[in-house]
Amino acid sequence: MTPSRYVMKTDPSYVVEAVQLHESDTNWAEVADWCGGDVHMDGSPATGIFSVLVVGNDSGVHGDWIVKQSGGWFVWDADGFAHVFHLVTEAAR
């Protein structure tokens, strides 16, 4: 698991590192290690939520982004993250 660099669309000088939680839970343990979070089982097949990654006072589920920002660790849902950030390409570095 390697975090990628993203910049805020409205302020390209604001750079974050982020990793999206895979639907299959394949990267959850590594992401938890990276951010100091914990993986908890929660929900049931009826709810569709099987795991929750807890980071500080925040928690993420499948598809959410775990983001290292200047103020600490944050969880962004997929739509919110896509609206605010975009990937830093090699040419932009």
Side-chain angles (χ1 to χ4, degrees), residues 1 20-31 51 62:
M1 188 247 17
Q20 189 171 30
L21 295 173
H22 293 169
E23 295 290 328
S24 62
D25 297 353
T26 55
N27 69 338
W28 286 50
E30 288 178 300
V31 174
S51 300
H62 298 116

Side-chain angles (χ1 to χ4, degrees), residues 49-72:
I49 300 172
F50 300 101
S51 300
V52 175
L53 184 105
V54 178
V55 182
N57 293 328
D58 218 348
S59 60
V61 295
H62 298 116
D64 285 349
W65 287 84
I66 308 302
V67 181
K68 183 179 180 182
Q69 295 177 225
S70 61

Side-chain angles (χ1 to χ4, degrees), residues 2 5 7 15 17 21 25-26 36-37 39-41 50 54-56 60 62 64 74 91:
T2 302
R5 292 178 50 178
V7 295
V15 180
E17 291 184 324
L21 295 173
D25 297 353
T26 55
V39 178
H40 299 277
M41 298 305 289
F50 300 101
V54 178
V55 182
H62 298 116
D64 285 349
F74 296 90

